[in-house]
Amino acid sequence: MAHRPKRTFRQRRAHSSDSDGAEEQSSEPGAPEEQTAQGLTEEGPPSGGGRVEATARRVRGRGRGRGRGRVWASSRRSAGAATRTEGGLSVPESRIVDLSTDEEDETAHSLENKDDQSSSSNSSSSLEEEFSSVVNIPDAAFIQAARRKRELARAQNDYISLDVKHTSAIPGMKKNSGDDPESEPDDHEKRIAFTPKSQTLKQRMAEETTPRNEETSEESQEDENQDIWEQQQMRKAVKITEGRDLDLSYSSEPQTVKKFDTSISLPPVNLEIIKKQLNNRLTLLQDTHRSHLREYEKYIQDVESSKSTIQNLENSSNQALNFKFYKSMKIYVENLIDCLNEKIVSIQEIESSMHALLLKQAMTFMKRRQDELKHESTYLQQLSRRTETSTNESLAVDEKTQWILEEIESRRSRRRQARALSGNCDHQEGTSSDDELSSADMNDFQKTQDDISQDHKKIFEDVHDDFCNIQHILLKFQQWREKYPDSYYEAFISLCIPKLLNPLIRVQLIDWNPLKCDAIGLKQMPWFTSIEEFMASSMEDSKKEDSSDKKILSAVINKTIIPRLTDFVEFIWDPLSTSQTTSLITHCRVILEELSTCANEVSKGKQDLLKSVVVRMKKAIEDDVFIPLYPKSTVENKTSPHSKFQERQFWSGIKLFRNILLWNGLLPDDTLQELGLGKLLNRYLIIALLNAIPGPDVVKKCNQIAAYLPEKWFQNSAMRTSIPQLENFIQFLLRSAHKLSRSEFRDEVKEIIPILVKIKALNQAESFIEEYNLDDLKSVIKEV
């Protein structure tokens, strides 16, 4: 809509682009006669016949507007600038300017030029007469007919001319303007002129000579123009609505009729082509219909399935109980994990304390044995040097060495007394485990161990049995397995139980020492029996014969027991101690038997344990075996310190040889043969035997060595020769037999032949019997 004008109604000095739809008036009385009436009507004329004279004066005064570039009859005016009649008054046809086409614009422009010429030659008095005589005011029907005629002329051309510069912004308003002369487009619907329209020389001269006092005349008409403007805006609001309705009716009528060109040739069409296209179309529709049917059936099935599921859930009365059970199990497991996470720190601290205590004791024994061996060997070397020099000077021994030697002898005396009281007279010096502690050291050790045991008992003293008793915990999971076995096995509880029980089992193992002979066996421990009962109840279900619960015990052993045993083997176990070795082997056999059901899964833990055993025995052979070699003249006297020391060290080596071979059945035969025969027998024991004087003592030692060899190495009846690692031992036996046969100990030869037969050196035994005509010993070979 047009903007409301200011109250002053002063004429604006603007270009043609600003004058579109504006109505600046020059109603100053006594205007010069050169002002030309242009035939342009105002946007909204005042209503009533009393406004006719004012209208005529405004029409006469628009020819020459004040200001440069002012164009009152702008070509961008809408078609609503046609002749308007109100109150029986009409405007001459020559004054009408139709802005819908360029042709009308040119006509209006020529009329303006003619009016300018006539106005410049006539006076103001004759202007009135000329206006009344020359101007012909056509009626509305005539104007409408002319407009339709022009539209038909444009339509027949079937194109839009490029010369058209002024088109209505709203077509409906143009079509409606013929019916109502008062219809006028709003200011925002008019086109804006960006360049001023060209004027003739006379028009420019008339504008320059226009008086400058027109502003005063506008003030007198302020009130009148305000009323006129308000009425115009009201009529515009009404006519715009009516114009839109009329535009719909006009737009429904066809503007042009496009004729069909019969000269164009179309492709030939026959019935087969039409039929083929119809069949293709029908096939396509049928396929689409079938796909829709399939989708429909699928949706129907989904709906029915959903309904049945909903009904089953609604009819199920155990859902609430199931939810309650699962929720209680979830809360229980979360609380159990929180409890174990809080206690695991204390468990680790107490475990470390106990391990450190046992490690300290083991290192004490090992260091003491090595120190005593070093000092005693040094003392005997000094004693040998003094004997060689044949000096009568007393041997200077420092106080520390003297104290160590006295301490060693006192412990030996106590052990001899203990063996005498027990009736063990066949004991050999050097085969006992020198693991005695002084009373003070023993009291300190026992006190520290008791303190650790007290702390161990306080770990779970503030915890309910449901969270620290293995049997109660397994009972919870057993109820789950019995009530909801499917969800139990789907949750892989058998993999979680070993991890949950690990801290609780470690607590029970804190004061467990597998190196002691009186240590409780694994099968007698509470956790072992609880897990066995849990597994037995699982096996009762015939449908779960391959139940994963059967592997819970092996998993617990692999993750908890084997790592603890490995620590004992690496840091605490003394391979020279027969008691420790026997106890350790007993526990290892139990563990490996339990692991035999799932050896593939726990092979890594088993291999780690056995590897640590082999490494520890190698270290013992390298560090603890020492058999000195003295001249025969020195060792002939069995009561000499050199002979006693050599005997003790040899029997200590025999003891280690026995302890190594006790692992038969747990360690591979190749490993045992390498350790026992290759590294110990051939490197240390045979050399000491070669240095010894042949006699009953040598035969006794050889008998003891052969007794410790595993029998399964010689179970093959087809064997005629022994294993390669025993070749040196066989050669020593034959050499000793040759020497004894020529000595006073001829009867000792009968002890050597059975040794050769036992180790499957049959060929060597037969050769020796034939050489010395020992026919009474042939029966020994035949029995084999």
Side-chain angles (χ1 to χ4, degrees):
M1 294 180 63
H3 299 284
R4 183 173 180 177
K6 298 181 181 180
R7 290 279 183 174
T8 56
F9 285 91
R10 297 179 181 274
Q11 290 183 348
R12 293 176 296 175
R13 293 181 174 88
H15 297 286
S16 60
S17 59
D18 299 331
S19 62
D20 188 13
E23 297 183 358
E24 296 183 5
Q25 303 175 2
S26 177
S27 57
E28 181 182 358
E33 295 180 358
E34 289 81 8
Q35 293 179 347
T36 306
Q38 302 259 338
L40 180 64
T41 61
E42 294 181 20
E43 288 182 357
S47 61
R51 309 278 185 179
V52 176
E53 294 180 1
T55 302
R57 287 194 302 272
R58 284 193 299 273
V59 170
R60 289 192 303 268
R62 284 177 186 162
R64 304 176 193 173
R66 279 187 63 195
R68 301 184 63 179
R70 186 187 302 272
V71 181
W72 294 102
S74 173
S75 62
R76 294 181 177 85
R77 297 280 304 273
S78 301
T83 305
R84 296 178 179 85
T85 58
E86 183 178 359
L89 296 178
S90 60
V91 183
E93 183 180 359
S94 59
R95 302 289 182 174
I96 298 170
V97 181
D98 191 347
L99 301 181
S100 60
T101 61
D102 290 337
E103 182 182 354
E104 297 176 20
D105 183 63
E106 293 298 331
T107 305
H109 187 66
S110 62
L111 290 175
E112 290 175 357
N113 294 337
K114 292 180 181 180
D115 291 341
D116 289 340
Q117 293 177 0
S118 60
S119 59
S120 62
S121 61
N122 297 330
S123 61
S124 59
S125 60
S126 61
L127 184 59
E128 298 284 345
E129 298 177 358
E130 183 182 1
F131 181 82
S132 59
S133 61
V134 175
V135 174
N136 250 345
I137 301 176
D139 54 0
F142 182 82
I143 295 173
Q144 186 65 25
R147 182 168 296 163
R148 289 181 180 175
K149 183 177 179 181
R150 288 194 299 273
E151 290 178 356
L152 283 175
R154 284 194 298 270
Q156 290 177 358
N157 292 332
D158 198 15
Y159 66 92
I160 299 176
S161 175
L162 296 176
D163 297 335
V164 177
K165 301 178 181 179
H166 312 288
T167 58
S168 176
I170 302 178
M173 295 300 298
K174 175 181 175 180
K175 294 177 181 180
N176 195 26
S177 62
D179 296 338
D180 193 352
E182 294 180 356
S183 63
E184 184 78 8
D186 294 338
D187 292 342
H188 71 280
E189 297 172 349
K190 298 177 182 180
R191 294 186 180 274
I192 301 174
F194 292 95
T195 56
K197 187 178 179 181
S198 59
Q199 296 179 345
T200 61
L201 181 59
K202 291 182 178 182
Q203 289 176 345
R204 291 196 298 272
M205 293 174 63
E207 289 178 0
E208 292 176 359
T209 56
T210 301
R212 307 294 183 180
N213 55 355
E214 290 182 357
E215 295 182 1
T216 56
S217 63
E218 293 182 1
E219 296 177 359
S220 63
Q221 296 182 357
E222 179 178 352
D223 296 335
E224 180 182 359
N225 291 339
Q226 179 65 25
D227 296 337
I228 295 172
W229 183 84
E230 291 177 356
Q231 293 175 6
Q232 289 175 352
Q233 299 305 318
M234 292 175 64
R235 283 195 295 271
K236 286 179 181 179
V238 175
K239 297 303 179 180
I240 285 174
T241 305
E242 295 178 356
R244 290 176 180 173
D245 296 338
L246 292 174
D247 182 55
L248 292 176
S249 62
Y250 278 110
S251 61
S252 62
E253 297 178 2
Q255 297 293 331
T256 58
V257 178
K258 189 171 183 179
K259 297 181 180 179
F260 180 73
D261 191 0
T262 58
S263 62
I264 300 175
S265 61
L266 298 175
V269 178
N270 53 24
L271 186 60
E272 293 297 332
I273 297 176
I274 297 174
K275 184 178 179 180
K276 183 177 180 181
Q277 293 178 353
L278 291 176
N279 289 334
N280 293 338
R281 178 62 176 169
L282 179 60
T283 303
L284 180 61
L285 292 176
Q286 290 175 349
D287 294 340
T288 305
H289 178 66
R290 282 193 293 269
S291 64
H292 290 170
L293 285 178
R294 287 193 296 269
E295 292 180 1
Y296 174 76
E297 293 175 357
K298 180 182 177 182
Y299 295 150
I300 292 297
Q301 293 177 359
D302 293 343
V303 170
E304 293 177 354
S305 176
S306 300
K307 289 181 179 179
S308 62
T309 303
I310 293 172
Q311 187 176 2
N312 293 335
L313 293 175
E314 291 176 351
N315 296 335
S316 177
S317 60
N318 297 327
Q319 292 300 319
L321 297 177
N322 296 349
F323 175 76
K324 184 177 180 181
F325 175 79
Y326 287 130
K327 185 176 181 181
S328 64
M329 282 299 301
K330 177 178 179 295
I331 295 174
Y332 172 76
V333 173
E334 289 178 350
N335 293 334
L336 176 62
I337 293 174
D338 292 340
C339 174
L340 297 178
N341 288 335
E342 182 178 350
K343 298 297 183 180
I344 192 66
V345 178
S346 302
I347 295 172
Q348 291 175 349
E349 291 178 354
I350 296 176
E351 273 185 339
S352 300
S353 301
M354 181 62 76
H355 182 76
L357 179 64
L358 297 177
L359 177 62
K360 180 180 178 182
Q361 186 187 48
M363 296 301 295
T364 299
F365 291 146
M366 185 181 300
K367 187 175 185 302
R368 187 182 68 181
R369 181 171 63 236
Q370 292 176 355
D371 290 344
E372 290 176 353
L373 179 62
K374 178 180 178 181
H375 284 85
E376 190 172 5
S377 175
T378 303
Y379 170 76
L380 293 176
Q381 288 178 359
Q382 293 176 356
L383 186 62
S384 298
R385 286 197 297 268
R386 192 189 65 146
T387 303
E388 291 175 359
T389 56
S390 300
T391 59
N392 296 324
E393 298 178 1
S394 61
L395 183 64
V397 182
D398 57 351
E399 295 181 358
K400 182 178 181 181
T401 303
Q402 187 67 30
W403 178 83
I404 291 175
L405 294 176
E406 293 176 357
E407 183 68 20
I408 294 172
E409 189 61 30
S410 65
R411 290 199 305 273
R412 289 172 183 165
S413 299
R414 289 193 295 268
R415 287 195 295 271
R416 290 191 196 103
Q417 294 176 2
R419 288 193 298 268
L421 293 175
S422 62
N424 185 9
C425 299
D426 295 335
H427 181 78
Q428 297 292 333
E429 291 286 343
T431 58
S432 60
S433 298
D434 190 9
D435 53 0
E436 295 90 354
L437 288 175
S438 63
S439 58
D441 293 339
M442 181 62 69
N443 292 334
D444 292 341
F445 175 82
Q446 192 63 39
K447 183 177 181 301
T448 306
Q449 189 176 22
D450 293 340
D451 293 340
I452 295 174
S453 298
Q454 291 296 326
D455 295 338
H456 154 235
K457 295 177 181 179
K458 295 179 182 179
I459 294 177
F460 289 106
E461 64 179 0
D462 59 341
V463 179
H464 195 272
D465 288 344
D466 290 342
F467 300 97
C468 63
N469 191 307
I470 294 178
Q471 187 174 5
H472 292 186
I473 294 173
L474 293 177
L475 184 60
K476 290 282 188 181
F477 289 101
Q478 184 177 350
Q479 293 174 357
W480 184 1
R481 184 179 61 196
E482 292 175 355
K483 290 182 179 181
Y484 313 103
D486 294 338
S487 62
Y488 173 85
Y489 289 107
E490 289 176 359
F492 299 99
I493 300 301
S494 60
L495 300 178
C496 303
I497 288 178
K499 297 179 181 179
L500 290 175
L501 301 183
N502 176 270
L504 302 174
I505 296 174
R506 288 165 61 183
V507 170
Q508 297 186 21
L509 297 177
I510 286 177
D511 55 356
W512 177 67
N513 189 348
L515 303 179
K516 288 186 176 181
C517 296
D518 58 349
I520 184 174
L522 291 176
K523 292 186 177 182
Q524 286 74 40
M525 290 185 176
W527 63 267
F528 195 96
T529 56
S530 299
I531 294 176
E532 279 190 332
E533 293 175 358
F534 181 78
M535 293 168 57
S537 63
S538 173
M539 296 176 186
E540 293 176 359
D541 188 1
S542 59
K543 297 181 180 179
K544 296 292 182 182
E545 293 181 356
D546 56 345
S547 172
S548 57
D549 288 347
K550 295 180 180 180
K551 303 176 182 179
I552 291 178
L553 182 58
S554 59
V556 169
I557 292 174
N558 186 40
K559 295 181 180 297
T560 307
I561 307 302
I562 287 182
R564 184 164 180 83
L565 275 178
T566 305
D567 290 341
F568 272 97
V569 169
E570 290 179 355
F571 303 104
I572 303 174
W573 173 47
D574 183 11
L576 288 174
S577 174
T578 303
S579 61
Q580 291 186 9
T581 303
T582 304
S583 178
L584 180 63
I585 290 174
T586 301
H587 293 294
C588 288
R589 289 189 186 279
V590 173
I591 291 173
L592 297 180
E593 286 176 2
E594 294 295 335
L595 298 180
S596 61
T597 57
C598 45
N600 293 332
E601 298 182 8
V602 296
S603 59
K604 185 178 184 301
K606 175 183 176 181
Q607 295 301 325
D608 291 341
L609 175 61
L610 298 180
K611 182 179 179 181
S612 62
V613 171
V614 173
V615 172
R616 184 67 186 90
M617 288 191 297
K618 285 182 179 179
K619 188 174 185 299
I621 293 173
E622 294 173 358
D623 298 344
D624 297 329
V625 177
F626 173 70
I627 303 176
L629 299 178
Y630 297 111
K632 291 183 178 181
S633 60
T634 307
V635 297
E636 285 179 354
N637 185 7
K638 299 298 181 183
T639 61
S640 66
H642 299 82
S643 177
K644 291 181 179 180
F645 179 70
Q646 188 183 52
E647 287 294 310
R648 285 195 300 269
Q649 292 303 116
F650 181 85
W651 284 105
S652 176
I654 293 284
K655 180 182 179 181
L656 179 60
F657 179 75
R658 175 195 176 188
N659 293 341
I660 291 175
L661 296 181
L662 285 177
W663 288 94
N664 176 41
L666 296 177
L667 292 176
D669 292 340
D670 296 340
T671 304
L672 289 178
Q673 291 173 8
E674 179 186 357
L675 290 174
L677 304 181
K679 292 184 177 296
L680 184 56
L681 178 63
N682 295 330
R683 186 178 298 180
Y684 294 98
L685 300 181
I686 296 296
I687 295 176
L689 290 173
L690 290 174
N691 192 47
I693 300 173
D697 293 337
V698 173
V699 176
K700 182 180 179 180
K701 294 175 182 177
C702 291
N703 271 324
Q704 197 67 44
I705 292 173
Y708 293 149
L709 294 174
E711 294 182 358
K712 73 171 187 177
W713 290 359
F714 313 102
Q715 288 179 352
N716 188 2
S717 59
M719 288 180 62
R720 302 294 297 178
T721 57
S722 184
I723 56 180
Q725 287 84 350
L726 290 175
E727 185 64 28
N728 293 334
F729 182 60
I730 294 171
Q731 295 298 327
F732 171 77
L733 291 175
L734 293 174
R735 190 180 299 111
S736 299
H738 286 294
K739 291 181 180 180
L740 290 173
S741 63
R742 295 189 297 268
S743 66
E744 59 184 7
F745 302 107
R746 183 179 178 85
D747 295 337
E748 298 297 332
V749 176
K750 297 180 181 181
E751 299 292 335
I752 296 177
I753 298 301
I755 297 174
L756 293 173
V757 173
K758 181 181 179 180
I759 63 177
K760 291 294 182 179
L762 300 179
N763 295 333
Q764 292 87 340
E766 289 176 353
S767 300
F768 183 82
I769 291 173
E770 291 177 359
E771 182 179 356
Y772 290 94
N773 298 320
L774 301 175
D775 297 334
D776 55 339
L777 297 178
K778 291 183 179 180
S779 60
V780 178
I781 299 176
K782 292 179 180 180
E783 291 177 359
V784 178

